[in-house]
Structures are given as structure tokens and as C-alpha cells.
Amino acid sequence: MKKILLSLSLMFFITGFSQVVLADYPDKAIRIIVPYKAGGGTDTIARGFVGAFSKAAGVDVVVTNVNGGAGSKGVIQVMKAKPDGDTLILTGSTDMIGLSTFRKMPFKSIGSLDPVGGIYTTPTYVLAHKDRGYTSLEEVIKKSKANPGKLTAGIGGKFGAHDVLANAINGYKNAGFRIIAYDGGASLKKATIANEVDICIIHSPVLLNEVKAGLLNVIGTGGSLAKITYPPIRGTKTLREIGIPADVGVTRGVWAPKGTSKDVIKKLEKFIEQAANSAEFKKFGNNFGFAPKYYTSSQFLDLLNLEQGVYTDIKGKFMSK
């Protein structure tokens, strides 16, 4: 009888202690890992977001860049982190999906981490330096088909949305672009500004300031640009409008290590919703190029499943060899 009472007392103590810990969360700084170099689109969005996130959570939120393996190094680090809500990852939906779809990885795009919420959606678009003289994607495709392997398409890394869009263009149009993968958006930005590639495939609205300045032209897009804050490019033809049946874009979102408690996830979801809908982040988004778009954890998971289907289809048609 004494053993039973002791066991019950211990159980109530542990349960009560856990509830206190959850009630106090967060009680120290939250670290958000961005799995790319500083200066790229995902890093820029993360740094535009953490101020509002910190205010909502009531603790400091620190961005840590963990570059390597096309983003996989940062993902694996978060997978191995303690599932207490103190270490999270902010990256692109299609970046996560691409890694596990096209490479053998120690994780799956859906199921290896717990999605907490999406914060920012944009289509992937195609740019060209003004000195190239290109004004439409159709024009460049025609030139590349006539000179297979000569024209270059720069992408921010293998296996993500950039790579999928490049292969969709080559596959559906037999375009013949030579695809050059850089180690992240920051490196691709530099190469594009320096006019080192014929076309640049990157997530909008990265490099929008250079577009506004007349240095770069937007010549195509993986999805509608109707809601971008720069009116002159809102009518850019989508892939579908030029005969490529694909929609390619990205939603930046937040994941937690698998096994994070539902109570902590619920708190994080609340903080992310407040931050994503805050005046501060909306101001950032409008200045960057698009208004933020918030997704709950379940909506974010639905989006991931939808995008997984698109990537599996493209892989089967053009990237399986």
C-alpha cells in the first residue's frame, strides 16, 4: 500500500512539475536555425520576422545560420535538438520537400519535424540581367533550344524549387539550359548581379530592388505575381501561360523537433500567428515585396502534402535519371 501511495505521489509530482514547466514556456531565448548563408531570401525573411516573434513570445529570438548540404545540415541539427521548443527551424516548404524527394536523406519532408506554421508565400520567378537583352522566358527558351547546353540557368541549390523550375523548363520545352547550382540564394544573387548567368531562377521577391533599378528584368514566373507590391511586373507570364503545366513557389515556415509537446506547439502556433499578422511583419513584407500570409500548423501540413505531389510528378517525368 505504501509503495502504491509513493508511486501515485511521484506521478502527481512529475505531472505537476511538467505542467509548471509548460506554463513557464518559454523561459529563455528561442533559437531559430536558418539552413542557409546570411543574405539570402529565407534569411532576410527570418530576420524580418524574429522581432515580432520575440515580442509575441516575450523572450529573445536569435537567428543562427547553419549552411551546408543544400540546407540539410540545418535540418538535421534541428532533428537532433531537444524537443522543448527552444530550437526551431525556419525554411522553405519546397526546400524541405526537395531535399528528401531527390536525395537519400536521414529525414522525410513530412513527418521528421513538426510543422508549427507558415508565414510567407511567394512564387519562384525567372530573372535576367538587362545586358542580356531578354524580355521574356519564351524568347530565351527559343535561343537555348537553338544552342543546347550553351545558355546557363543559375539556381540557388540542387533539389529545391529553383531546381524543379529549371528542370520543368528543360523538360516540358526541351530547352537545353545548362543548370548551374550555387550554394544558396546569397551566392546566386551575386552571380546574377555580375551577369554571370543567362537566367536566374530564384524565389520572388529576392532581387526586386535590382529589378526596380532597371538592372534586372523579370521574364517569367512559377506562379502569379498579381499581388507583388511592384505593379510593373504583375502581368509577367506564368509557366502555365507559356505551356509548362507546373506551379512552383515556396512558403517559408517554422518547424519544431519531432516529439515537441502539443502544449508547446500550441503556444508556438499562437506566437507565430501574432507575429505573422503583426503590423511590424506586415510592414516588412510590403517593403520586401509581398504581404505576409499565415498558415496554421494543419494548413501548413496540407500545403506540404500538396507540394509533395507536384515534386513527385516533376521527378518522375524529368529528374529520375
Side-chain angles (χ1 to χ4, degrees):
M1 185 66 179
K2 286 182 179 180
K3 288 183 178 180
I4 295 173
L5 290 173
L6 182 61
S7 297
L8 288 172
S9 298
L10 183 60
M11 182 184 71
F12 288 137
F13 172 77
I14 292 171
T15 303
F17 179 75
S18 299
Q19 289 174 344
V20 170
V21 170
L22 291 176
D24 289 342
Y25 175 82
D27 60 353
K28 59 183 178 180
I30 295 172
R31 183 167 70 124
I32 289 185
I33 288 178
V34 171
Y36 304 104
K37 288 181 179 179
T42 299
D43 178 71
T44 301
I45 291 167
R47 293 180 189 279
F49 180 70
V50 293
F53 186 33
S54 176
K55 289 176 183 175
V59 296
D60 291 337
V61 179
V62 181
V63 173
T64 302
N65 296 92
V66 180
N67 187 46
S72 62
K73 187 176 179 180
V75 174
I76 293 169
Q77 189 171 130
V78 176
M79 281 179 60
K80 294 179 178 179
K82 188 176 180 181
D84 55 8
D86 291 339
T87 301
L88 310 171
I89 188 168
L90 192 156
T91 190
S93 56
T94 47
D95 298 327
M96 281 282 293
I97 289 167
L99 282 168
S100 60
T101 300
F102 301 115
R103 294 180 69 178
K104 188 175 182 180
M105 287 287 174
F107 59 83
K108 297 179 180 179
S109 56
I110 300 170
S112 294
L113 294 172
D114 288 334
V116 184
I119 62 170
Y120 201 83
T121 295
T122 65
T124 305
Y125 62 3
V126 186
L127 308 174
H129 196 282
K130 67 176 181 62
D131 291 345
R132 300 275 171 173
Y134 306 138
T135 58
S136 73
L137 182 55
E138 293 164 294
E139 169 192 357
V140 193
I141 288 172
K142 183 178 180 180
K143 182 176 179 180
S144 187
K145 287 179 72 171
N147 302 275
K150 297 288 182 64
L151 271 65
T152 55
I155 61 175
K158 293 292 290 180
F159 315 118
H162 303 174
D163 199 14
V164 167
L165 196 154
N167 277 279
I169 293 171
N170 272 352
Y172 281 110
K173 291 294 185 178
N174 194 27
F177 284 104
R178 181 162 54 90
I179 301 171
I180 300 176
Y182 289 82
D183 64 343
S187 298
L188 177 57
K189 284 167 62 177
K190 291 178 182 178
T192 303
I193 291 169
N195 195 18
E196 294 176 1
V197 292
D198 285 279
I199 62 173
C200 161
I201 298 172
I202 200 164
H203 299 315
S204 66
V206 176
L207 290 168
L208 185 58
N209 286 335
E210 287 74 13
V211 171
K212 292 178 180 179
L215 181 67
L216 304 176
N217 295 324
V218 179
I219 61 172
T221 177
S224 174
L225 290 172
K227 293 185 178 180
I228 200 164
T229 56
Y230 184 55
I233 63 172
R234 287 177 179 168
T236 303
K237 285 187 177 181
T238 66
L239 295 182
R240 289 187 178 277
E241 289 174 323
I242 65 170
I244 300 174
D247 300 297
V248 183
V250 63
T251 295
R252 269 63 170 225
V254 179
W255 285 259
K258 189 69 177 175
T260 301
S261 77
K262 292 181 180 179
D263 290 324
V264 169
I265 293 289
K266 189 178 293 184
K267 282 193 171 187
L268 285 169
E269 190 172 22
K270 179 181 177 182
F271 301 150
I272 289 170
E273 180 179 11
Q274 290 176 358
N277 292 322
S278 68
E280 180 179 348
F281 191 53
K282 286 180 179 178
K283 181 178 179 181
F284 161 81
N286 288 327
N287 289 336
F288 192 50
F290 287 91
K293 184 173 182 179
Y294 169 68
Y295 298 80
T296 66
S297 57
S298 61
Q299 289 170 337
F300 195 31
L301 181 59
D302 289 342
L303 176 70
L304 292 170
N305 281 308
L306 179 65
E307 291 177 334
Q308 180 69 72
V310 173
Y311 274 46
T312 301
D313 181 59
I314 295 292
K315 178 187 177 183
K317 285 185 170 75
F318 310 119
M319 300 175 72
S320 57
K321 295 181 180 180

